[in-house]
Amino acid sequence: VQMLAIAPAKETECRDTIKKICDSFAVSPIARDVLETASAFSSKPGSDEPYFLGPADGVSSIGYRSSWWTQFYCILWRSWLSVLKDPMLVKVRLLQTAMVAMLIGSIYFGQVLDQDGVMNINGSLFLFLTSMTFQNVFAVINVFSAELPVFLREKRSRLYRVDTYFLGKTIAELPLFIAVPFVFTSITYPMIGLKAGITHYITTLFIVTLVANVSTSFGYLISCASSSISMALSVGPPVVIPFLI
């Protein structure tokens, strides 16, 4: 693209370069093969239909160059690298989660099971939902909406399927979407004074983790249904709030 682009203030030089490239291609063996194939097809009787080149070497009957597992592995590896290349973002998300958890734990600290305590625990559990929902929905919207044009371009080029992309990206980000609920629940659960016992704690952690991952998938849904990041951010809250209620 850079070689064939016409740069400002260098129009003449760029056009000369482009002409040399086109002239070189015109006398190349590839250009002669294409011309011979097209001429042979056009010389056939009844050849008014457009001519389509045959599939490239290695392309299967379904139109992909690689198998399902190869696509999945490559997407998983690329998504994992994109997570690792920005460790500061992971640290900020974990720190943000810990600060919000300490704030909620401080407000509802040491509840007892009387009438006021039950009402306060209800309020704290609702904050569990809101914190995990909005934090994960908007984290996904901001990231995935920016990646969506790349995904659509690569999907049209038949580099991979939709399911391999979704599974690879989800599994690569799964450790973070498990770590965030773990940090949040581990801080707030004992501070609020919720029911003691490892079984009750694990049950709560499991439910909060499910809420976080469902919110993540919901963020993907909103991103795919929106044409831009600003629209996704505007559509997100009105769609999420009825489910919270």
Side-chain angles (χ1 to χ4, degrees), residues 205-244:
L205 178 61
F206 177 70
I207 294 173
V208 173
T209 303
L210 284 181
V211 169
N213 284 273
V214 168
S215 303
T216 302
S217 296
F218 204 69
Y220 286 137
L221 173 65
I222 295 173
S223 299
C224 292
S226 304
S227 58
S228 62
I229 296 179
S230 58
M231 180 177 290
L233 293 174
S234 301
V235 170
V239 175
V240 169
I241 287 174
F243 290 100
L244 290 175

Side-chain angles (χ1 to χ4, degrees), residues 108 115-128 194:
Y108 294 97
Q115 186 63 39
D116 291 335
V118 170
M119 297 296 293
N120 291 336
I121 289 173
N122 274 335
S124 67
L125 293 180
F126 183 72
L127 286 177
F128 271 54
L194 299 177

Side-chain angles (χ1 to χ4, degrees), residues 46-63:
S47 59
D48 294 334
E49 297 181 1
Y51 176 70
F52 295 99
L53 292 174
D57 294 336
V59 176
S60 63
S61 59
I62 55 176

